Amino acid sequence: NSQGAPVIFFLSCVSASISGDTGVIHVLESEADLEWPLSKGPNPPYMVLLESSLFTKSIMMKMKNASSRVAGVVVVQKTSPPEFSPHTTCPNENTGVYTETYDHNLAHCNTTVWNPRGNGLSYEEFDSPVFSLKEDNETEVIKQCYFDHNRVVNGSGLQYPLCAMQLFSHMHAVTDTATCMRRSSMDFSTSPVMVCDPLGGYNVCAFIRPYNSTAFGHKENESVVIAAARLDSRAFFLEDSTGAEGSVSGFVTLLAAAQALREATQEAPPTRNILFAFFHGEVFDYIGSSRMVYDMKNNMFVIDLDNVHSILEIGQVAVRSGTNLFLHSDPVSRRNNTVHDEVTNLVKNLQSSTAGLNFSLVETDFSQPLPPSSFQRLLRARAIPGIVLADHQTDINNRYYESFYDNAAHLNLTYPSNLSPEEQLEFVTDTAKSLTEVATAVARALFKQAGGNNSQVNKINADPKTVTQMLYGFLVRSNNSWFQVLGSSLRCVFCLSEPNPPQYYVGVAKSSHQANALTYLVQYLLANLTGTATNLTQSQCKKPDELPNESTYLYSYLWVQGVVPPNSTQRESFCVRTAVRLVKAVSPAFDLGDYISKEYSTWTKSQWKFIKARIFLVASRDLEMLTLGVGVAVLFTSLLVTYFVRTKADVLFSSVREPNNAAY
């Protein structure tokens, strides 16, 4: 059996057969080979195995349209094509701020097509399962089975037995979110079965000056600058969404900026507060940001929208085409003079913060709308001054937007071959140096925007070592010594159980205190980079309210593993006092029961039993019919023998009586 990463089948897709889908294996070596499984091959249905270079929209659509002859598809990840984006050309088209009522000229990406490479493959409906396999020994076994039994040579006929594959990925959900959620709620059994779950998770939030976490709503005389980035990404295959440029470049930059601000904000606190917000579920119609805005509007967050002074969002910033990064703003809200003036001030703060750095910040054309960004959800609620920082002036530079090719290699995150994993962790790459400069500019600009003292600005510098360690941990190997030092032995062990990067797909909404690995990693990193190490014991860290100068209303307390000293096997663990909190990131549509909402995200994911694959040999149809015929003949023969024995049982099994005068 071979385990694979399945395609994310959302409710627009038809699930695979409950008993699995079976087909004769055909390895696709070029697009011309499609003729065999689609029309020529005499043994349909086929299970098509293809390398990632052939995983294109045209090939997949041809197989989709011949679903009676194609039982499934297995994609073997290998080399990266020049470009590939299975997302749409206009991401989050219907849930951003640019609607017909806001400005019809800017709606539906009319002026700027942000993702022109998008082919929409992730949004197609496939009747058959699509699996992903890594290039490893199991893949070679499948290929060898094909070459030994199935490959046509010089047009000669196939010789039995043939190599076949069976894929299991049956899902319970049907039709759409509204139908699925309704069926889940109508289950009156003692053990109800959920056939689908809402997507969602937790946002990671931290103020430089914490507020009472139980006091929701407006804060008098408080003004807050929001610094935002998104956490999640997606790809056609669930476990392969890494989002190196799409999400990691942005949130790593913001984490580094938060660390750079720590000393300056403690020595000379700015007049305005700063909220670091890392939104989850943004790829799926802005789940995290729309939830925060909803909570702000309904007094379920520690501040409200009136407290928001401005916003700076860090978008995709790692793939520059030159020495410039670009500042995007909203042309509609800037028609208001007050908003326009504040945006102009934010632009000046950003541009002046690049002094001494090796790049410049350039403002885009006023008539151009914002790129896909969390900022759009705040603008839907209120005209707020803000900027989205990105490495693209018009359409995005990311050639692999929301695909499994947007990985470490895409960011040229390469290391000398003679370095050990620990040495790679410490090796400062060119990408890390570049993002460190961006983080420095962001931190300085935030400090100015929050009203900080200009004398402190030049002291604010991001740390390249921290940036390179984060890039290595988030894109190469999460199970590394630095993440282990900063993580928790109690809560986040599962975060570091695999040598691979964490999963960036948001997943389904879980119960309280069950965030996914990525969320916990960002939470603990932000806590360590901005919090304070205390002398509390582990028991005190669990119940700090019992101590006179501690408060769980203002702070969170996290027990961190710490380092292992030389000549010791025990870690020097400690308790971190931090303003970092996890905040629910589930679409308000599911709280409201509005499963056909046009205002909020309604993405759900189907439940399934298990996912697996197996290969085996199948005999020819003639041999199968012969075996069946012999079996039927044996059956009828046994029935006749049984009938004969039963009718003659008194003769066959009668006992012979012994004579009375028998002598012994």
Side-chain angles (χ1 to χ4, degrees):
N1 289 353
S2 176
Q3 295 293 336
V7 62
I8 307 172
F9 278 97
F10 289 99
L11 297 188
S12 60
C13 300
V14 178
S15 60
S17 167
I18 193 169
S19 58
D21 294 85
T22 304
V24 173
I25 296 174
H26 179 76
V27 175
L28 201 68
E29 299 181 61
S30 68
E31 187 165 358
D33 290 343
L34 271 176
E35 187 181 11
W36 185 265
L38 298 188
S39 60
K40 232 172 136 183
N43 306 105
Y46 287 92
M47 194 66 67
V48 179
L49 184 77
L50 53 85
E51 291 186 357
S52 51
S53 58
L54 294 171
F55 183 60
T56 64
K57 176 77 175 286
S58 63
I59 289 178
M60 290 300 295
M61 294 307 292
K62 287 177 183 178
M63 290 192 286
K64 172 188 172 180
N65 295 331
S67 57
S68 62
R69 292 184 59 89
V70 178
V73 179
V74 178
V75 182
V76 180
Q77 295 184 30
K78 213 169 182 179
T79 56
S80 302
E83 59 183 44
F84 179 75
S85 174
H87 209 283
T88 61
T89 57
C90 189
N92 291 359
E93 177 179 357
N94 298 312
T95 49
V97 70
Y98 298 111
T99 61
E100 296 289 343
T101 54
Y102 191 73
D103 190 321
H104 69 277
N105 292 319
L106 303 178
H108 311 297
C109 295
N110 284 337
T111 58
T112 304
V113 178
W114 293 108
N115 184 34
R117 303 171 186 87
N119 58 36
L121 188 61
S122 290
Y123 294 84
E124 290 291 340
E125 177 182 333
F126 292 94
D127 295 339
S128 305
V130 185
F131 274 43
S132 169
L133 288 178
K134 304 293 184 183
E135 180 75 15
D136 56 16
N137 291 336
E138 292 181 340
T139 305
E140 289 305 315
V141 169
I142 298 171
K143 288 182 178 179
Q144 193 59 49
C145 187
Y146 163 79
F147 289 126
D148 291 344
H149 299 278
N150 297 8
R151 192 176 194 184
V152 178
V153 180
N154 297 326
S156 61
L158 296 177
Q159 300 296 317
Y160 285 93
L162 298 179
C163 189
M165 174 179 278
Q166 187 173 30
L167 302 180
F168 296 89
S169 63
H170 177 69
M171 292 173 296
H172 300 300
V174 292
T175 312
D176 54 26
T177 291
T179 305
C180 179
M181 295 299 291
R182 184 175 67 249
R183 290 189 180 184
S184 295
S185 63
M186 291 173 62
D187 191 339
F188 300 110
S189 64
T190 55
S191 301
V193 176
M194 293 293 294
V195 292
C196 62
D197 298 292
L199 295 190
Y202 288 88
N203 297 328
V204 182
C205 298
F207 290 91
I208 61 170
R209 291 194 302 273
Y211 298 118
N212 186 329
S213 61
T214 62
F216 296 148
H218 185 70
K219 298 291 183 291
E220 290 295 333
N221 303 317
E222 286 290 321
S223 182
V224 178
V225 177
I226 297 178
R230 70 169 170 120
L231 290 179
D232 65 310
S233 66
R234 69 168 295 180
F236 191 85
F237 298 105
L238 182 151
E239 293 181 359
D240 297 326
S241 43
T242 49
E245 159 75 342
S247 59
V248 177
S249 66
F251 75 70
V252 162
T253 298
L254 189 55
L255 284 168
Q259 181 194 30
L261 280 168
R262 183 176 180 274
E263 280 191 30
T265 54
Q266 289 180 349
E267 290 179 11
T271 55
R272 298 186 184 97
N273 209 339
I274 299 175
L275 167 62
F276 297 103
F278 298 83
F279 295 121
H280 220 336
E282 295 302 275
V283 176
F284 297 98
D285 294 322
Y286 306 118
I287 293 174
S289 54
S290 64
R291 181 67 198 214
M292 191 184 78
V293 171
Y294 174 82
D295 289 346
M296 284 182 175
K297 290 169 65 176
N298 291 278
N299 292 327
M300 294 188 293
F301 196 70
V302 292
I303 60 171
D304 65 8
L305 289 168
D306 291 333
N307 291 125
V308 178
H309 173 266
S310 53
I311 180 170
L312 172 59
E313 181 172 351
I314 316 302
Q316 304 179 77
V317 290
V319 182
R320 297 187 211 166
S321 56
T323 59
N324 294 334
L325 290 178
F326 298 94
L327 306 176
H328 299 262
S329 60
D330 172 45
V332 178
S333 60
R334 290 188 72 169
R335 295 168 189 164
N336 179 296
N337 291 333
T338 304
V339 173
H340 175 77
D341 291 344
E342 195 53 58
V343 172
T344 302
N345 184 60
L346 177 54
V347 169
K348 289 179 180 177
N349 287 336
L350 281 159
Q351 291 178 331
S352 63
S353 297
T354 62
L357 303 177
N358 295 313
F359 73 97
S360 301
L361 293 174
V362 178
E363 193 172 8
T364 59
D365 192 327
F366 278 13
S367 63
Q368 181 174 275
L370 287 168
S373 53
S374 306
F375 179 31
Q376 292 198 29
R377 289 303 301 192
L378 280 88
L379 284 173
R380 281 180 73 122
R382 182 170 169 247
I384 296 174
I387 288 290
V388 176
L389 176 62
D391 55 21
H392 54 92
Q393 185 171 12
T394 53
D395 57 278
I396 60 178
N397 293 336
N398 191 348
R399 295 175 293 130
Y400 305 122
Y401 185 72
E402 306 303 354
S403 82
F404 49 75
Y405 301 116
D406 188 13
N407 51 27
H410 182 212
L411 297 192
N412 295 318
L413 210 63
T414 55
Y415 303 89
S417 58
N418 60 339
L419 296 186
S420 67
E422 281 302 308
E423 291 170 330
Q424 290 179 355
L425 176 65
E426 303 291 332
F427 182 80
V428 180
T429 62
D430 291 339
T431 303
K433 293 174 185 176
S434 173
L435 291 183
T436 300
E437 290 202 328
V438 179
T440 297
V442 167
R444 292 173 180 176
L446 286 171
F447 190 73
K448 294 176 185 177
Q449 187 69 7
N453 191 326
N454 284 333
S455 63
Q456 297 286 326
V457 170
N458 290 333
K459 299 178 184 178
I460 299 174
N461 291 286
D463 179 20
K465 181 180 177 181
T466 300
V467 174
T468 205
Q469 288 174 323
M470 286 193 288
L471 287 174
Y472 181 82
F474 283 118
L475 291 175
V476 180
R477 187 185 184 95
S478 60
N479 187 7
N480 63 74
S481 60
W482 189 61
F483 274 15
Q484 289 171 353
V485 166
L486 302 183
S488 167
S489 59
L490 303 176
R491 176 177 287 183
C492 203
V493 173
F494 69 92
C495 302
L496 307 173
S497 60
E498 296 291 336
N500 303 317
Q503 185 176 301
Y504 290 87
Y505 164 61
V506 63
V508 299
K510 300 178 182 179
S511 59
S512 180
H513 307 302
Q514 284 189 337
N516 65 12
L518 174 64
T519 305
Y520 278 138
L521 286 172
V522 172
Q523 176 196 20
Y524 273 78
L525 276 172
L526 186 59
N528 281 275
L529 296 177
T530 62
T532 304
T534 68
N535 294 321
L536 301 184
T537 65
Q538 187 170 351
S539 59
Q540 290 173 331
C541 197
K542 290 181 180 178
K543 299 180 180 179
D545 277 333
E546 297 177 356
L547 302 174
N549 297 319
E550 307 294 343
S551 172
T552 54
Y553 295 117
L554 293 177
Y555 299 100
S556 298
Y557 295 81
L558 304 177
W559 188 252
V560 176
Q561 291 193 100
V563 299
V564 179
N567 303 320
S568 175
T569 58
Q570 297 294 322
R571 291 185 179 272
E572 292 183 344
S573 301
F574 58 95
C575 184
V576 172
R577 181 196 304 118
T578 175
V580 178
R581 303 230 178 231
L582 298 184
V583 182
K584 185 178 179 182
V586 179
S587 172
F590 297 101
D591 289 351
L592 299 171
D594 185 4
Y595 304 133
I596 57 172
S597 173
K598 294 184 179 179
E599 174 69 15
Y600 299 111
S601 167
T602 55
W603 282 94
T604 54
K605 178 184 173 183
S606 172
Q607 291 273 8
W608 49 50
K609 289 184 177 179
F610 54 81
I611 300 165
K612 68 176 183 179
R614 68 188 184 106
I615 62 173
F616 51 90
L617 297 178
V618 293
S620 68
R621 181 58 60 92
D622 292 342
L623 181 57
E624 287 178 344
M625 296 306 295
L626 176 61
T627 304
L628 177 62
V630 171
V632 172
V634 170
L635 173 63
F636 281 109
T637 301
S638 63
L639 290 175
L640 287 172
V641 171
T642 302
Y643 175 77
F644 175 77
V645 170
R646 187 180 182 88
T647 56
K648 303 296 183 179
D650 56 336
V651 175
L652 295 174
F653 302 108
S654 60
S655 59
V656 180
R657 293 188 179 183
E658 297 176 349
N660 293 330
N661 58 351
Y664 298 91

